[in-house]
Each structure stands twice: as structure tokens, then as C-alpha cells.
Amino acid sequence: MRSTLFAGLTAALVGTSLVTSALAAPGCLDGRRKVQEASALRYQANQEARLGNRDRVCDTLDEVGDRFHEAQDAFEDCGADVVAIDLRSELRDLRIAKRLNRCD
């Protein structure tokens, strides 16, 4: 039991270090930048929603989706497929936000 736990922990640490090193790759820096841009745009969309500017919210949410897709492509290009897969949940949340704001 103890060796199984240690092996699982070791595998998790190795996997984490691979993702971390992949994120440090030059191609992955572009992906990280796109995720940061998407986060800033999501904040902007929240502020627009608070002000009641629905048209602007929808436009901004479209831009958020564009940034997430660009980030996903960048992570796939640099070999960080795990991160690219994780962005699918962000895109799913974005679709829900669009539906709630009646953007579709």
C-alpha cells in the first residue's frame, strides 16, 4: 500500500513537472499570454454586464472565446496537450455565460 501511494505520488510529481516545463517552453508562453488576455476580457465582460450593456457583453465574450481557442492551439503546438484539454472546461463555462446573457 505504501509503495503504491509513493508510486502514485511520484507519477503525479513527474506529470506536474512535465506540464510545468512545457509551460515554460517559448511556444507555451504565447498560450499563457492568451489565457491572461482571456481572463482580463472576462473581467471586462462582467463589468459590462454589471452596467447593463448586453451588446458589449456579447462582443467581449466572443473575444474571450477567440483568446481561449488561440491559447488552446498554442498549447497543442508546444506539446502541452494536458493544458489544452483543460481549456475545454473554460470554453464550456464560456458557452454557459453566453447562454445566460442571451448572446446566442
Side-chain angles (χ1 to χ4, degrees):
M1 165 99 176
R2 198 171 185 187
S3 64
T4 305
L5 178 63
F6 181 71
L9 182 59
T10 303
L13 290 174
V14 169
T16 302
S17 67
L18 290 175
V19 170
T20 304
S21 64
L23 290 176
C28 292
L29 293 177
D30 186 43
R32 289 178 59 193
R33 184 175 51 82
K34 294 296 181 181
V35 169
Q36 290 172 345
E37 288 175 12
S39 295
L41 287 167
R42 180 175 277 170
Y43 176 79
Q44 181 180 339
N46 287 336
Q47 295 302 312
E48 294 292 343
R50 187 177 60 81
L51 295 172
N53 191 351
R54 199 184 84 175
D55 292 336
R56 189 71 188 127
V57 170
C58 294
D59 291 342
T60 305
L61 289 175
D62 286 339
E63 290 180 39
V64 170
D66 292 344
R67 294 308 182 285
F68 277 135
H69 284 293
E70 291 168 1
Q72 196 174 28
D73 292 341
F75 284 127
E76 287 173 355
D77 290 346
C78 75
D81 293 333
V82 172
V83 178
I85 291 170
D86 189 46
L87 287 176
R88 290 182 191 165
S89 64
E90 293 290 337
L91 290 167
R92 217 177 357 259
D93 291 344
L94 180 62
R95 284 193 300 272
I96 292 169
K98 283 183 170 185
R99 197 173 312 132
L100 290 174
N101 287 293
R102 297 182 186 110
C103 295
D104 294 331

